[in-house]
Amino acid sequence: LRLCESFREAFACEELRWAAAHYWSRAVSVGPPALAAGYHALLPGVDLLNYAAESENFFQLAGGTILYIAGQDYAEGQEVRDAYGGGKNDTYTLTHYGFLHEDELQSFVSLRPAVRRDEHRRLKRRILRTRPAAE
């Protein structure tokens, strides 16, 4: 809504929403690891990479250059895929990219419930950190 208000004299709100949706579905986050938010950029060719949750490829800044580093060896003709930053659950991939994970084991949600300050707080936190055994 703020985007529409900022540019209402130059563009129709529908056009701005369309442009913003295209930008955010193709922009990648790059930056030094210490900078959590990083920078967003449109990198020609990178938006052609398909998604793979297990991909270990990553971006790295080197001076004024953005490098795309392969996290594995690739055979000639093998498709290079990207995890789009990793740690994306189905809600995120659906709302930002328009698809769900192919592998249902990659479907997850991270919850961080608040723990009330009382004499059992440490025990509650330990229970919350415990993961169920894999089937």
Side-chain angles (χ1 to χ4, degrees):
L1 189 55
R2 286 186 297 186
L3 182 66
C4 293
E5 291 172 4
S6 298
F7 296 98
R8 69 175 160 233
E9 293 181 21
F11 300 100
C13 190
E14 193 78 16
E15 292 171 326
L16 286 168
R17 288 182 175 165
W18 175 87
H22 277 72
Y23 173 82
W24 287 111
S25 70
R26 289 165 174 77
V28 294
S29 182
V30 294
L35 184 61
Y39 304 96
H40 292 100
L42 294 177
L43 304 174
V46 172
D47 65 329
L48 299 174
L49 294 173
N50 286 323
Y51 179 79
E54 68 279 359
S55 174
E56 296 179 8
N57 303 337
F58 61 95
F59 291 97
Q60 182 174 328
L61 290 177
T65 303
I66 299 172
L67 303 174
Y68 189 64
I69 310 295
Q72 69 180 60
D73 291 332
Y74 286 92
E76 183 176 335
Q78 184 179 357
E79 180 181 18
V80 176
R81 301 190 328 163
D82 191 75
Y84 298 176
K88 308 287 193 272
N89 63 25
D90 275 338
T91 302
Y92 190 94
T93 59
L94 181 61
T95 58
H96 287 79
Y97 309 121
F99 65 85
L100 299 172
H101 289 278
E102 292 176 8
D103 180 0
E104 65 183 45
L105 295 177
Q106 295 294 333
S107 297
F108 65 93
V109 124
S110 295
L111 300 174
R112 294 181 186 209
V115 176
R116 188 179 325 149
R117 292 182 182 271
D118 61 21
E119 69 271 11
H120 302 294
R121 182 178 185 155
R122 293 175 78 183
L123 175 60
K124 292 175 187 177
R125 285 185 180 271
R126 194 168 74 225
I127 290 170
L128 288 171
R129 281 193 300 266
T130 304
R131 297 179 183 193
E135 294 180 18

